[in-house]
Amino acid sequence: MPPRLSIIVPAHRVQGFLRECLDSVLTQSHQDWELIAVDDHSPDRSGEILDEYAARDPRITVLHLTENVGLGRARNAALPHATGDHLLFLDSDDTLTPGALQAIADRLDETGDPDVLVFDYVRAHWWGGIRRNALAHVLAETGAAPAPGDVFTAAEHPEILELLMVVWNKTYRRAFVEQHGFRFPPGYYEDTPWTFPVLLTAGRIAALDRVCLSYRQRPTGSILSTTSRKHFDLHEQYHRVFAFVDEHPELEAWKPYLHRRAGEHCLDVLGKPDRLPPSAKAEFFRATAGLLRELRPPGTVTDPALRVLERPYAAYRLTRQTAAIRRRAAGTARRARRITAERAGRVLQFAHRRRGLDPELALYSSFHHRGVLGDPAAIHRAARELAPHVRGVWVVRPEHAHQVPDGIEHVTPGSPRHLALQARATWFVNDVPWPWMPVKRPGSVHIQTHRGTPLKYQGADLLTKPGARLGQDVPRMLRRADLWDWSLVANRHSERVWERAYPCHFTSLRTGSPRNDVLVRGDAARGAATRARLGIPAGQTVVLYAPARRDHVRGGHTEPFDPARLAADLGPGRTLVVRLHPSLADGPARGLSLAELHRRGVLVDATDEPHVEDLMLASDVLVTDHSSLMFDYVNLDRPVVVHAGDRAAVAASRGLYLDVTAEPPGHVTRGYEELAELFAGDAWRDERSARRRARFRAVYGEFDDGRAAERVVRTLMLGEPMPAHATPAPAGSAADGSASLPAPAAGRDDLLQRS
């Protein structure tokens, strides 16, 4: 039986990257493939490396060419040797992402073996940055449903042609390629006369909204980083595209579109500083103008962006220089407007200061103005009940304003209204330092709630971790912290850490964590409602996986294991819910697998859920690593699993205040096999796990008794005595939360670890 996929890898001068490329194929979970590698007469050790891998795996075939023929013709040499159902072209300095082949194979099955499957990619820059395809939304929109008939043509979804015109972000049905005789031409930009004809001819195209390939951006060595006259090949490649259309009259209607794309592509190459020799740019401009005159379909109106090609090269250069000047001027104007606005804001604040403080005005913010969230939200709810005379106003960014519940007043950060309220507010409640706070008014009260129990280094302790404090202005951070009056803590560990990390003029208040009140009390209805909203069937055991952000990894995300594999290994009756750190919600991390796995129903991607408390209430067990969520979760008295395979890297790069693997809240795993074995039965919720959780909760939840928000409002806003603490019984032990509570556990007076 032929393999599902034939992977074609041409190689020339890539000995430094080739092993990584090949390993990314060999380590895939999907193994039904063959690989045809082509040594394009490479002068380095690329050919030897290919032979080495072929000796290890019989699925690898190596072709050694006797002369260097270039990328396109090297691919052509491999095509007669391919026997798979579908072709995948992988450049030898790029890599497949983990689980990519399985996702591709599954999507091919779902869509009934389409002619072409288009998938997503990320650009991996040589300096470490990772950037997702800017048009990833096209794949999400065209590939949203898993139905077998979810295929289309380019005419039905022409936006698919706006994606990068490359060969390696697609698979191709081999019989379709052979039927039409598609081959790569010689020269640079050989992907252009392959991709346009293929997509315009394909009767069945499918999309996969998943990052399957990492496209390496090299500063040297690649075609796109080479300054050469060979970039003139682009003109001939578009001649080939139009020749193909001329041979297929049914594609005639595409000519105006292709004419525009040809002009845009050529102008893009001309505008790059390192593609063409300076002496050749005027010639390239004139050749491009001639190309467009020659290829212009009768009756076609020149696109406004291409009219510059109808004027002399000197006019083009002047246009470019003028545009650059305007961009610089616009940047200068934006900075000037910002400075003017800041100065005006200060004047406005000082003007309002003359009116005195409003004793019934409180200003709230959370997660850098992302919405009504976390501890400040819990305090606000309690204040509306216990101190209704206090007007609560939230500072929320415009892009998050739609998430603000009806009936809650909010303002845009930095707006005149915000600054006016800030000048007169008595109460300030936030979980991060306040910006736009030039002067703290006497009589105002700043309540710092923080965001959970600190596990990783914070504040001044970041001074010993230069990598973790990259981009962090620690002195400014401490100046802002000096505005705090009260620092809320859920345990004595937090109290010691915050006083060390922020050696400022505030008083620690042992209130407990307000956002944990709902966890301590338990709320079965809220948990059930969350399950229903996420589409989780009743009776399922919900495993919540909430990894922390990695400071030692650019982009902040790593996958210590394949989430699809865990979802499968959990078995029937169990649902995996994944919540990435909120700072990763808009980055490439979700495109690596989560979006596609969520669409297919393999797992639930709950990263966009604003209230993490809802997810905790809806789950039966938490799997995490270095996230402080574990300190909150134990208030539910439900199992916790700490997956700490990269603990040493986190400790070295960011620093850890304690070793949660030494005295954990539950079982500890360090490799995937350990994790899978733990969930193979019921060991994850055994007596040992319960004992560890009880000890952990006694230490780190010692002030959490379900009354933290009430305690803050009564003590700080109403001036009442501090309500006494009580250590709560397990969540939900009484429907009204009124269970008899034992005496508080003894705390600790030392930081467990200084990593």
Side-chain angles (χ1 to χ4, degrees):
M1 217 177 147
R4 194 72 172 122
L5 296 167
S6 290
I7 304 169
I8 294 174
V9 181
H12 184 77
R13 293 182 182 272
V14 287
Q15 63 180 8
F17 309 103
L18 186 53
R19 293 182 186 278
E20 187 178 356
C21 171
L22 297 174
D23 288 341
S24 77
V25 177
L26 269 64
T27 56
Q28 291 287 314
S29 56
H30 180 84
Q31 291 289 305
D32 188 14
W33 51 261
E34 66 177 1
L35 190 149
I36 300 100
V38 183
D39 169 18
D40 189 16
H41 201 62
S42 184
D44 60 7
R45 295 189 61 249
S46 295
E48 297 175 34
I49 294 171
L50 292 176
D51 289 338
E52 173 192 328
Y53 275 76
R56 288 164 40 189
D57 195 314
R59 293 171 297 178
I60 299 176
T61 300
V62 180
L63 308 178
H64 293 279
L65 304 185
T66 57
E67 61 176 335
N68 176 234
V69 298
L71 186 57
R73 288 189 289 180
R75 291 169 178 158
N76 291 342
L79 285 174
H81 299 269
T83 63
D85 298 330
H86 294 265
L87 305 172
L88 189 155
F89 297 94
L90 177 63
D91 286 356
S92 49
D93 55 350
D94 297 338
T95 55
L96 296 176
T97 60
L101 293 187
Q102 186 63 59
I104 289 171
D106 289 343
R107 188 61 173 157
L108 291 173
D109 291 341
E110 288 175 350
T111 53
D113 284 346
D115 297 331
V116 181
L117 173 67
V118 189
F119 52 79
D120 203 8
Y121 65 92
V122 291
R123 295 176 185 265
H125 294 275
W126 61 271
W127 42 267
I130 297 176
R131 182 164 56 92
R132 191 176 182 185
N133 168 26
L135 295 177
H137 63 89
V138 172
L139 297 175
E141 292 160 2
T142 56
D150 184 32
V151 293
F152 54 90
T153 63
E156 292 168 334
H157 283 289
E159 63 271 24
I160 203 72
L161 298 173
E162 297 297 321
L163 298 173
L164 193 63
M165 282 293 104
V166 291
V167 67
W168 42 253
N169 65 344
K170 307 170 185 73
T171 64
Y172 311 86
R173 188 166 58 86
R174 184 170 59 87
F176 165 71
V177 171
E178 292 176 350
Q179 175 189 352
H180 294 277
F182 293 123
R183 290 296 184 272
F184 293 92
Y188 279 16
Y189 303 100
E190 73 291 331
D191 287 3
T192 299
W194 166 284
T195 309
F196 277 122
V198 164
L199 288 178
L200 295 180
T201 304
R204 302 177 72 250
I205 303 172
L208 172 59
D209 180 23
R210 187 198 195 277
V211 173
C212 295
L213 183 135
S214 179
Y215 174 32
R216 191 185 301 273
Q217 306 284 279
R218 289 194 275 159
T220 61
S222 69
I223 289 175
L224 297 185
S225 63
T226 302
T227 301
S228 168
R229 287 185 59 86
K230 288 190 175 183
H231 292 285
F232 278 81
D233 290 352
L234 182 58
H235 300 134
E236 183 57 31
Q237 305 298 19
Y238 274 101
H239 273 295
R240 292 187 170 103
V241 172
F242 273 78
F244 179 87
V245 173
D246 287 338
E247 295 171 0
H248 297 79
E250 70 277 10
L251 301 179
E252 183 75 19
W254 285 103
K255 281 189 173 180
Y257 172 82
L258 295 171
H259 182 264
R260 175 177 65 82
R261 288 296 301 273
E264 291 173 345
H265 197 169
C266 292
L267 284 177
D268 180 65
V269 170
L270 180 63
K272 301 294 186 189
D274 55 354
R275 297 279 179 92
L276 293 158
S279 60
K281 290 194 172 186
E283 181 185 352
F284 187 90
F285 176 88
R286 289 189 290 270
T288 298
L291 173 75
L292 293 193
R293 284 194 300 270
E294 178 184 351
L295 299 181
R296 179 182 290 115
T300 300
V301 178
T302 303
D303 188 271
L306 304 182
R307 287 175 187 164
V308 67
L309 290 164
E310 298 175 350
R311 298 191 291 270
Y313 178 64
Y316 164 78
R317 289 193 60 188
L318 181 60
T319 300
R320 296 266 302 174
Q321 292 167 357
T322 302
I325 291 171
R326 286 175 177 169
R327 285 194 299 271
R328 289 194 294 269
T332 301
R334 282 194 299 271
R335 289 190 292 273
R337 286 195 297 270
R338 187 180 69 247
I339 293 171
T340 301
E342 289 175 353
R343 289 174 177 171
R346 293 191 187 101
V347 171
L348 180 64
Q349 287 188 81
F350 279 109
H352 283 282
R353 283 163 59 86
R354 296 175 182 172
R355 299 174 58 192
L357 293 178
D358 182 343
E360 297 184 352
L361 176 60
L363 213 57
Y364 294 88
S365 181
S366 181
F367 288 85
H368 302 283
H369 316 311
R370 291 183 183 174
V372 182
L373 305 168
D375 293 299
I379 294 171
H380 180 234
R381 285 193 298 270
R384 296 180 79 180
E385 178 183 347
L386 302 173
H389 62 283
V390 176
R391 173 191 174 195
V393 182
W394 281 81
V395 184
V396 181
R397 294 179 187 173
E399 61 267 30
H400 299 290
H402 67 282
Q403 297 177 343
V404 177
D406 293 339
I408 293 183
E409 187 178 357
H410 63 279
V411 295
T412 299
S415 65
R417 186 161 170 252
H418 165 217
L419 297 176
L421 291 171
Q422 179 172 277
R424 300 201 60 216
T426 294
W427 315 101
F428 292 85
V429 185
N430 203 341
D431 54 15
V432 295
W434 285 95
W436 300 294
M437 186 69 67
V439 177
K440 182 180 186 298
R441 297 195 64 179
S444 64
V445 179
H446 286 242
I447 303 169
Q448 173 58 222
T449 70
H450 305 287
R451 286 185 285 175
T453 293
L455 176 56
K456 294 181 285 189
Y457 277 16
Q458 307 283 338
D461 287 330
L462 291 175
L463 294 172
T464 65
K465 299 292 181 181
R469 75 168 188 267
L470 182 65
Q472 302 276 359
D473 187 340
V474 175
R476 184 185 184 193
M477 194 185 302
L478 297 181
R479 287 195 298 272
R480 287 181 173 179
D482 220 17
L483 300 174
W484 303 346
D485 292 292
W486 302 98
S487 168
L488 309 187
V489 298
N491 48 67
R492 275 173 267 193
H493 162 80
S494 295
E495 183 175 323
R496 291 186 296 273
V497 168
W498 295 132
E499 291 178 357
R500 171 194 171 91
Y502 295 98
C504 303
H505 299 88
F506 62 80
T507 301
S508 295
L509 196 63
R510 297 177 174 182
T511 57
S513 176
R515 69 176 182 177
N516 287 346
D517 288 349
V518 67
L519 304 180
V520 174
R521 294 170 182 170
D523 191 333
R526 186 169 169 180
T530 302
R531 287 187 174 216
R533 185 172 67 250
L534 296 176
I536 300 172
Q540 288 277 304
T541 296
V542 176
V543 179
L544 174 60
Y545 175 49
R549 181 185 177 89
R550 263 60 172 179
D551 296 277
H552 63 285
V553 177
R554 189 177 290 274
H557 178 68
T558 60
E559 282 193 346
F561 53 81
D562 180 0
R565 184 180 178 190
L566 176 60
D569 288 345
L570 287 175
R574 295 175 178 177
T575 296
L576 178 63
V577 175
V578 180
R579 181 187 187 269
L580 299 182
H581 191 275
S583 65
L584 304 177
D586 298 323
R590 296 173 78 179
L592 287 172
S593 63
L594 283 187
E596 183 257 341
L597 295 174
H598 177 85
R599 177 190 61 79
R600 288 171 46 212
V602 174
L603 51 74
V604 175
D605 175 13
T607 303
D608 287 332
E609 283 292 315
H611 301 287
V612 69
E613 302 95 317
D614 289 347
L615 297 179
M616 290 191 278
L617 286 166
S619 66
D620 297 289
V621 55
L622 171 68
V623 178
T624 187
D625 36 46
H626 315 105
S627 171
S628 63
L629 212 61
M630 68 180 77
F631 297 98
D632 305 323
Y633 195 84
V634 293
N635 285 289
L636 285 168
D637 196 29
R638 298 175 189 172
V640 177
V641 176
V642 178
H643 189 68
D646 63 348
R647 180 195 164 279
V650 174
S653 60
R654 175 64 184 260
L656 296 173
Y657 286 116
L658 56 96
D659 181 2
V660 294
T661 66
E663 296 186 38
H667 288 289
V668 177
T669 60
R670 291 179 173 81
Y672 178 76
E673 297 303 329
E674 288 183 66
L675 182 64
E677 183 178 354
L678 190 67
F679 280 100
D682 290 330
W684 54 277
R685 55 183 176 186
D686 60 14
E687 284 300 318
R688 185 182 183 191
S689 171
R691 288 194 301 271
R692 288 180 169 182
R693 181 169 68 253
R695 287 196 299 267
F696 194 87
R697 186 184 184 193
V699 174
Y700 300 108
E702 58 178 327
F703 304 141
D704 279 332
D705 61 357
R707 299 181 62 194
E710 174 194 352
R711 192 169 285 115
V712 173
V713 174
R714 291 192 182 282
T715 303
L716 301 183
M717 289 185 172
L718 299 178
E720 298 177 4
M722 170 77 84
H725 289 86
T727 300
S733 57
D736 61 358
S738 60
S740 176
L741 304 176
R748 299 189 176 187
D749 294 323
D750 60 321
L751 292 179
L752 297 185
Q753 175 167 327
R754 295 285 299 167
S755 298

